[in-house]
Amino acid sequence: MSALPLVPRPAEIHVDQEAGLSLDAATRIDADPGAAGTETWLRAELGAATGFAFPPGKGENARIRLSIDPDAGLGAEGYRLIVDGEGAVVIGHDPAGVFYGAQTLRQLLPNGAYRRAPLNGADGAAAEWPLPSVDITDRPRFGWRGCMLDVGRHFMPKHGVLRFIDLMAMHKLNVLHFHLTEDQGWRLEIKRYPKLTEVGAWRKESQVGAASDPGFDGRPHGGFYTQDDIREIVAYAAARHITVVPEVDVPGHSQAAIAAYPELGEGGPLEVGTRWGVIENVLNVSDATLEFYRNVFDEVMELFPSPYICVGGDECPKGQWRASAAAQARIAEEGLSGEDELQSWFIRRFDAYFAERGRRLLGWDEILEGGLASGATVLSWRGTEGGIAAAQAGHDVVMCPTRTSYLDYRQSDSGEEPIPVGTLLTLADVYSAEPVPPELAEKGAEHVLGAQVNVWTEHMDSPRTVDFMVFPRLSAFAEVAWGPAERDYREFLPRLEAHLGRLDAVGVEYRPLDGPHPWQKRPGVPGRD
């Protein structure tokens, strides 16, 4: 393996000792029609950093060429990147492959290629930008390389979401699981039910810390995305070959919706949640509530072209249903065995509804309880057991067990760790994850779509804290999801250390590798204070 600091590591790479290519003011880009999106992206990103125009070119006068060849044997999302003294050629199996090849090309350039403007002053903008002579063939191991971003607990403004999408694309991730509703906030405009955001998007204060008897900050918090915001986010992600999978939680984690429309719940009026954790308030199981959410999901499906729609289904307490005459009557009417099967019955209503519209239901592994809906895909978070059971039964799964995938968990046991919640999850722990459990070696591995990490934001109240908790652990996960099962953490670390220079260039305030101190000033890193 070459010492080139590429993250994630390519499948095959050969470095030639001969001179490579230098980009300069005369460099032109030529692209197949199917690669036009990548051409636009590459011109914008490299143009901002270098000050060069990178105008379109044809034939020999183009030094960078982007092409699509589905017969090149590269596989879905695969690419080949060849750089020599004559130019740089990216060949993709498909448009996504071209995009990932262009991402690798950018990583071959100096870290200044990630700045938004040329350097000023004594350094000046470089007259030439060197690329080494290489031949890289690369493809992802998994088709689902995801990150779940929770904006229900703490809202992230649209520009922060777009920035997060760019950082995902930089790491060749392709699924943004967008957690839009929670007990503590409803973040998606639904035209038919305006109180979901008028009331449900705002809470009076937030719990501070993870103590069982916590304090509260006394500060109102809220925000939501208009439908036009969502269309912009989805289009921005699609241009970077990222699918946005929306999550609207049912029947638990629904207190914000119940606060807006009390008739959805089992009890009296509620306020939007202010505490973290599992909340007892859940949706009732009336026909009217089912119809309400069918109407909600109609608008969700219009906004999100994703083949998957996530309904949550996790952490649904059954106490209110046990005490509810209406819920008990539903159990009897449907011939169900109890409250667990009642939850399954609820989820199945939406599995069928989505299937009729060409979509697939996605849910956390609690949807296995009481029987799994026939078309459902399972997010295995409570260890790997749920994913193993679902895969062996013929259901698709996405692996995201807490012990390797929860980026809200503490990064060390140091007393100086600024967000010391959850159990220890180090960079090495993330890197060592294996998405396909050994139990599936003989049967079921083909149902593992891939993996994702989850960014729960109870204790991340700004994009700055998200940066600190997510990076560089997301960089380690990217290699897990993209690269081969055989990995060497010692070989990864030098590449990661170089990769941190790219994160510096785009302003990511990541956790330093040598300690828990957030946002410390370091030599040569502008803006850290």
Side-chain angles (χ1 to χ4, degrees):
M1 172 56 60
S2 160
L4 289 175
L6 302 176
V7 176
R9 185 182 67 179
E12 303 171 28
I13 181 169
H14 173 73
V15 180
D16 198 316
Q17 298 306 311
E18 295 183 7
L21 174 68
S22 288
L23 307 183
D24 56 29
T27 301
R28 295 175 176 268
I29 303 175
D30 184 20
D32 290 352
T38 296
E39 178 187 13
T40 299
W41 173 84
L42 188 62
R43 179 177 293 112
E45 295 297 328
L46 296 188
T50 64
F52 303 153
F54 295 105
K58 288 293 181 183
E60 294 183 357
N61 72 348
R63 304 297 297 280
I64 299 175
R65 292 183 290 279
L66 311 175
S67 64
I68 296 173
D69 184 357
D71 298 320
L74 298 168
E77 300 181 281
Y79 68 89
R80 186 176 182 192
L81 168 62
I82 304 168
V83 181
D84 58 24
E86 299 299 314
V89 178
V90 177
I91 304 165
H93 172 85
D94 46 30
V98 176
F99 181 72
Y100 297 132
Q103 287 282 5
T104 299
L105 183 149
R106 190 184 186 191
Q107 286 197 8
L108 292 173
L109 289 163
N111 291 341
Y114 287 86
R115 296 190 181 96
R116 293 300 184 186
L119 288 172
N120 296 317
D123 292 328
E128 294 186 344
W129 290 72
L131 284 166
S133 181
V134 297
D135 188 342
I136 295 171
T137 303
D138 200 10
R139 68 195 64 81
R141 180 183 177 197
F142 294 107
W144 186 297
R145 306 179 301 280
C147 181
M148 190 285 305
L149 178 63
D150 167 20
V151 295
R153 272 54 174 264
H154 279 101
F155 177 69
M156 181 180 285
K158 179 179 66 177
H159 64 81
V161 176
L162 299 179
R163 172 181 178 270
F164 196 82
I165 288 168
D166 275 327
L167 293 172
M168 289 180 61
M170 177 179 173
H171 291 85
K172 298 185 174 74
L173 302 181
N174 67 349
V175 177
L176 172 61
H177 176 172
F178 207 19
H179 188 84
L180 289 162
T181 73
E182 257 306 334
D183 295 304
Q184 300 84 14
W186 183 287
R187 307 298 178 207
L188 173 63
E189 178 190 26
I190 300 296
K191 299 286 191 182
R192 184 161 182 162
Y193 301 116
K195 286 193 290 185
L196 286 171
T197 47
E198 290 172 1
V199 175
W202 313 93
R203 62 176 181 263
K204 67 180 182 181
E205 60 184 355
S206 305
Q207 176 179 329
V208 177
S212 58
D213 185 20
F216 294 86
D217 62 10
R219 295 182 298 160
H221 177 83
F224 66 92
Y225 308 102
T226 67
Q227 294 199 355
D228 283 343
D229 289 337
I230 292 296
R231 292 185 181 97
E232 181 179 351
I233 289 167
V234 168
Y236 192 88
R240 289 150 182 79
H241 299 277
I242 292 173
T243 299
V244 182
V245 176
E247 180 173 352
V248 173
D249 275 9
V250 296
H253 287 294
S254 299
Q255 185 165 324
I258 298 169
Y261 292 92
E263 64 271 22
L264 298 173
E266 284 284 5
L270 300 169
E271 62 179 16
V272 176
T274 58
R275 289 177 174 265
W276 315 132
V278 179
I279 308 298
E280 290 297 316
N281 298 299
V282 300
L283 298 174
N284 63 46
V285 292
S286 69
D287 290 340
T289 294
L290 291 168
E291 181 64 18
F292 181 100
Y293 274 90
R294 281 192 288 266
N295 293 332
V296 167
F297 282 119
D298 282 346
E299 294 194 31
V300 169
M301 287 186 282
E302 189 276 326
L303 293 168
F304 294 91
S306 162
Y308 295 90
I309 306 293
C310 186
V311 300
D314 60 312
E315 296 180 330
C316 178
K318 308 301 192 297
Q320 289 189 342
W321 286 349
R322 281 191 288 269
S324 165
Q328 293 303 311
R330 178 71 81 178
I331 289 172
E333 175 188 340
E334 299 293 337
L336 307 175
S337 62
E339 289 76 23
D340 282 347
E341 197 170 353
L342 179 61
Q343 177 173 342
S344 177
W345 173 89
F346 194 102
I347 296 296
R348 286 172 188 266
R349 306 283 75 74
F350 294 101
D351 180 62
Y353 193 72
F354 295 159
E356 291 169 358
R357 288 151 182 79
R359 307 298 183 94
R360 295 186 64 184
L361 183 143
L362 177 71
W364 303 99
D365 57 41
E366 284 94 331
I367 67 173
L368 288 161
E369 297 168 2
L372 186 59
S374 60
T377 296
V378 173
L379 294 156
S380 187
W381 74 277
R382 295 179 300 175
T384 59
E385 291 80 3
I388 292 168
Q392 289 178 338
H395 293 273
D396 289 341
V397 299
V398 176
M399 302 304 294
C400 51
T402 56
R403 65 179 179 81
T404 58
S405 308
Y406 271 44
L407 300 190
D408 56 318
Y409 282 6
R410 69 180 71 211
Q411 303 185 66
S412 81
D413 282 330
S414 166
E416 298 182 25
E417 196 66 34
I419 306 179
V421 300
T423 55
L424 179 62
L425 179 59
T426 66
L427 179 74
D429 293 331
V430 175
Y431 192 79
S432 68
E434 170 47 47
V436 181
E439 293 88 341
L440 297 179
E442 295 185 4
K443 178 184 178 183
E446 70 279 8
H447 287 293
V448 178
L449 301 180
Q452 68 179 40
V453 285
N454 299 325
V455 182
W456 301 107
T457 61
E458 289 95 331
H459 309 288
M460 304 181 211
D461 60 358
S462 70
R464 194 180 200 197
T465 51
V466 170
D467 274 9
F468 181 77
M469 295 302 289
V470 170
F471 294 97
R473 289 187 292 185
L474 189 76
S475 305
F477 168 74
E479 193 146 302
V480 172
W482 179 276
E486 298 76 24
R487 296 183 300 278
D488 183 345
Y489 184 65
R490 291 171 298 178
E491 185 274 335
F492 169 67
L493 277 177
R495 287 186 290 111
L496 177 64
E497 289 177 1
H499 183 66
L500 295 181
R502 302 178 188 120
L503 299 183
D504 283 325
V506 294
V508 176
E509 299 192 84
Y510 54 84
R511 183 188 190 277
L513 297 181
D514 56 357
H517 311 290
W519 315 301
Q520 63 186 22
K521 182 70 175 179
R522 291 188 293 160
V525 183
R528 292 282 178 99
D529 54 27

